[in-house]
Amino acid sequence: MQFDLVDLRLFAAIADEGSITAGAARAGLALPSASARVRGMEQALGTALLERQRRGVRPTSAGLALAHHARLLLEQVERMRGELREHARGGLRGQVRLLSNTAALEEYLPDALAGWLAANPGVDVELEERPSHEVAPAIAQGRADAGVLSDLAGVGGLETYPFRMDRLVLAVPRGHGLAGARKAAFAEVLSEDFVGLARGSALAEHLAWQAARLGRRLAPRIRLRGFDAICRMVEKGVGLAVVPQTAARRARRVMDIRLVRLTDAWALRRLVICVRRLDALPLHARRLVEHLAASGEAAG
């Protein structure tokens, strides 16, 4: 059998996306070409690699094995390219796939990444938002180079590096019954109206899960993208919101809102960077992870 790098990159993308169409788009191929390549791989192996379902595809056991080895080979090729290009062109080159939960993506990563990316113009970052509980499995399976998540989600078997401490607080409007309170439990406020993040955001899923654990359902009156927009709705009395303390404090400078500390253990989270093995990453990815870890140390 003979698979080229395009085949391997395509199949890894299809396995990650759960869709031939989305995998083809990520690999930069037209759908007919991608479908033909998948059929060619299946014919060469003499076995099915994908199970076609009503919504997308799922790798068979043979497909899972191929995706695993494809990611390892692609990672090695990317590492080779990055290191050789650094020597040949006088700087790092390559792409880093980074997964992150909402708090890190919105509040901490922009500043941490901006200076490094400006200083390394040959490196691109594919940054994708995921709930914390999905980040570690994706890294363990080789579907991304590194991830930022809450350590409460579990990071067994991965190398981790401290990044930031993140506290979730309750934002309430002036005049609300809780405006003068110093603290509250999540269970105590679930009967209130809420303003939330857009469906699919990592923090929205996290809060929905915490409500479900209490036997309740969190149904925001409106969902928005961005903490500033959420806090603006809170200021106008639309509802309460659970947001990172950093975002709430920033909003409080220009909006008339109050902050109430959540007493739930999950509201205080240690954000960490996780990788399978730092020394196995391509040089450009390793340097980025080292930079993020150093920024965490500097933040104290």
Side-chain angles (χ1 to χ4, degrees):
M1 71 190 73
Q2 290 187 339
F3 297 159
D4 60 23
L5 289 177
V6 177
D7 288 333
L8 298 178
R9 189 171 289 109
L10 169 65
F11 195 80
I14 291 172
D16 288 347
E17 300 290 344
S19 162
I20 296 177
T21 301
R26 188 167 131 191
L29 294 173
L31 180 58
S33 175
S35 297
R37 282 181 175 272
V38 172
R39 287 195 300 271
M41 285 186 276
E42 290 180 325
Q43 290 170 2
L45 287 169
T47 187
L49 294 172
L50 297 171
E51 293 178 4
R52 276 69 174 178
Q53 300 178 317
R54 289 184 62 186
R55 294 185 178 180
V57 294
R58 183 174 64 183
T60 63
S61 57
L64 289 172
L66 176 59
H68 170 71
H69 289 288
R71 293 183 188 110
L72 292 177
L73 289 168
L74 291 169
E75 180 183 285
Q76 186 63 32
V77 168
E78 188 69 10
R79 190 162 108 180
M80 176 188 72
R81 284 176 174 168
E83 294 185 11
L84 290 178
R85 284 172 176 169
E86 183 184 23
H87 292 293
R89 304 186 184 185
L92 292 171
R93 297 192 68 83
Q95 184 182 68
V96 183
R97 190 172 186 205
L98 180 63
L99 307 182
S100 172
N101 70 0
T102 306
L105 187 147
E106 292 278 349
E107 293 299 312
Y108 307 113
L109 282 174
D111 285 343
L113 288 171
W116 192 89
L117 286 171
N120 294 274
V123 181
D124 298 328
V125 173
E126 182 182 348
L127 181 58
E128 183 177 342
E129 183 179 352
R130 293 281 188 89
S132 284
H133 67 269
E134 291 184 8
V135 173
I139 301 303
Q141 294 164 18
R143 291 158 58 188
D145 298 299
V148 183
L149 71 160
S150 164
D151 64 347
L152 295 175
V155 288
L158 299 174
E159 293 181 11
T160 62
Y161 304 89
F163 182 56
R164 295 288 192 282
M165 292 300 297
D166 176 62
R167 180 182 287 281
L168 295 174
V169 299
L170 194 66
V172 303
R174 184 185 63 165
H176 188 277
L178 285 168
R182 296 185 60 187
K183 59 186 179 179
F186 191 47
E188 296 171 356
V189 299
L190 278 172
S191 59
E192 299 277 350
D193 290 332
F194 270 83
V195 179
L197 282 169
R199 292 184 188 279
S201 71
L203 182 55
E205 292 190 14
H206 175 67
L207 294 176
W209 182 63
Q210 294 297 343
R213 289 180 61 206
L214 296 168
R216 307 287 291 279
R217 179 171 174 266
L218 187 64
R221 294 187 63 200
I222 186 170
R223 294 180 181 273
L224 301 162
R225 293 190 179 278
F227 296 126
D228 287 348
I230 286 174
C231 289
R232 183 68 68 191
M233 286 285 181
V234 170
E235 181 188 34
K236 299 299 183 182
V238 176
L240 313 184
V242 176
V243 296
Q245 183 172 261
T246 52
R249 285 177 170 172
R250 184 175 62 247
R252 190 173 57 180
R253 298 190 194 112
V254 295
M255 302 177 202
D256 197 2
I257 61 173
R258 303 292 185 267
L259 277 57
V260 178
R261 182 169 63 87
L262 285 170
T263 57
D264 303 80
W266 51 262
L268 180 60
R269 308 181 296 174
R270 186 166 71 105
L271 301 180
V272 297
I273 308 159
C274 69
V275 297
R276 281 181 295 167
R277 278 181 43 219
L278 186 61
D279 61 6
L281 286 176
L283 182 60
H284 57 280
R286 187 162 73 246
R287 292 281 174 80
L288 177 57
V289 171
E290 290 169 346
H291 165 77
L292 294 176
S295 77
E297 291 179 1

